Amino acid sequence: GHITDVYASKSNPDLCLVTNFETAYLMEYKNGKIKQIDNLHANYKGDGYYSTRGLDVQSTHWVREDPFDSRHIIIATDVMGIQISYDNGKTFTRMESTNGSDLYSACYDVYFDTHKRDRVYGIWTSRIYAPYFPSYYDKEAFIGGFGVSNDGGITWDFTYSSGLPNKAIPIKMSVNKANNELIFAVATLNKGFYISYNSGKNFTSINEGIEQLEEGFILGEDVIIVDDIVYCLTAPIPPTGGVNYEWIPSKLYKYSMSTNTTESIDLGSITIARSITYDSRRGRLL
């Protein structure tokens, strides 16, 4: 299967939570060997009924841990928003919508504030399966946003932030600390890239100099902050049919926060790039 994240418990070194696109597994070790693997996904029993241990998801993305309480973890998912555990991943509770917002359909990442207990930031959209049914083919059938929770992920405020278009599909975010504020860089699947220097309260576009596929449309794939630089990766557009079509390849850009300038980075023979990371030990991008 396609593994999306692995979470190793800090409070119990013998527990590990592994997620893929459709399932989460709780793996328990003893003397370095796997003792037990529990499938935490809902199991279909027929006639429309399911048996579950609490983790009812369609597709999982990231597992995030509360820096103030390692037993409190959140999984970002498609369809079901987020799933919350208060017992180190043994059981989960689905966060219910408290304001009727369509944004609760899908969450693609969350970030626990390391300075303020119970504060969580997240990127949300009503567009489920966004990476697999790109907004390029359906540009208006969704809403998206950046939200904040002050109770550990139970309720969310989508009025906290401004500047990120509500028709955007935020898919990836990167976080950096600057004095008493957080810097958030966000990649969207239809409106390109945005940055906030005040913990997500206000976002501004950093799309100047990034190639548009058409007016106002930039297909963002991934984003990462390294010191003063924001690396922005655009996604490839797949062929849609016909005989003489070509892929529009991924492109990588480097945005300088100090000079507000953007330059492209040659990817060489790479046509399809899906993610970027930074090797801090060797000082290089991967």
Side-chain angles (χ1 to χ4, degrees):
H2 189 129
I3 301 301
T4 56
D5 200 12
V6 177
Y7 161 74
S9 169
K10 291 184 173 62
S11 59
N12 185 345
D14 292 328
L15 286 179
C16 180
L17 190 69
V18 180
T19 66
N20 65 18
F21 279 140
E22 296 182 353
T23 310
Y25 302 92
L26 185 67
M27 304 175 68
E28 186 175 357
Y29 293 82
K30 186 174 183 179
N31 298 325
K33 296 182 179 180
I34 296 177
K35 176 183 176 183
Q36 184 175 352
I37 301 178
D38 292 327
N39 183 337
L40 299 183
H41 184 56
N43 298 308
Y44 185 60
K45 299 184 70 174
D47 297 326
Y49 292 97
Y50 290 80
S51 64
T52 179
R53 293 185 58 194
L55 188 61
D56 301 322
V57 301
Q58 184 67 28
S59 300
T60 63
H61 294 286
W62 296 102
V63 181
R64 303 302 189 195
E65 179 187 288
D66 188 337
F68 296 95
D69 182 1
S70 61
R71 297 168 300 175
H72 177 205
I73 60 178
I74 292 177
I75 297 181
T77 82
D78 262 348
V79 184
M80 296 296 186
I82 64 172
Q83 303 275 336
I84 304 175
S85 175
Y86 295 97
D87 56 11
N88 216 10
K90 295 179 181 178
T91 60
F92 283 86
T93 300
R94 178 187 175 191
M95 184 277 301
E96 297 293 341
S97 172
T98 57
N99 63 1
S101 173
D102 289 336
L103 279 171
Y104 282 98
S105 296
C107 179
Y108 288 103
D109 202 359
V110 296
Y111 176 82
F112 281 96
D113 196 318
T114 57
H115 298 296
K116 187 175 178 59
R117 190 181 184 95
D118 291 330
R119 172 163 286 194
V120 191
Y121 304 90
I123 48 176
W124 296 75
T125 179
S126 64
R127 179 70 174 209
I128 61 175
Y129 309 128
Y132 315 106
F133 298 93
S135 56
Y136 186 73
Y137 306 111
D138 187 4
K139 301 180 180 62
E140 299 297 326
F142 45 78
I143 55 176
F146 180 93
V148 63
S149 172
N150 291 301
D151 54 14
I154 298 174
T155 60
W156 289 81
D157 178 10
F158 296 111
T159 66
Y160 168 85
S161 179
S162 65
L164 192 66
N166 65 356
K167 289 295 184 179
I169 301 177
I171 187 68
K172 292 287 183 66
M173 69 178 178
S174 182
V175 190
N176 203 0
K177 299 174 184 177
N179 299 322
N180 294 324
E181 297 284 1
L182 297 171
I183 298 175
F184 282 97
V186 173
T188 75
L189 276 173
N190 56 339
K191 301 294 184 180
F193 304 89
Y194 294 80
I195 193 166
S196 170
Y197 296 101
N198 57 1
S199 301
K201 296 183 183 70
N202 302 98
F203 280 90
T204 57
S205 168
I206 54 173
N207 290 321
E208 184 70 28
I210 296 179
E211 182 180 357
Q212 298 183 20
L213 296 176
E214 61 182 61
E215 182 64 30
F217 186 90
I218 298 173
L219 189 57
E221 178 75 275
D222 202 0
V223 64
I224 186 172
I225 303 173
V226 180
D227 299 324
D228 175 61
I229 301 298
V230 182
Y231 291 96
C232 302
L233 179 68
T234 62
I237 292 291
T240 57
V243 178
N244 298 317
Y245 57 74
E246 294 182 356
W247 283 76
I248 300 176
S250 301
K251 293 186 178 181
L252 182 62
Y253 297 87
K254 182 171 68 173
Y255 172 80
S256 169
M257 289 186 276
S258 60
T259 63
N260 296 323
T261 57
T262 301
E263 62 179 281
S264 62
I265 298 176
D266 186 6
L267 288 177
S269 61
I270 297 176
T271 300
I272 302 173
R274 291 301 188 192
S275 63
I276 47 178
T277 189
Y278 182 71
D279 184 345
S280 59
R281 293 182 301 171
R282 294 177 174 85
R284 63 185 181 184
L285 206 64
L286 303 174

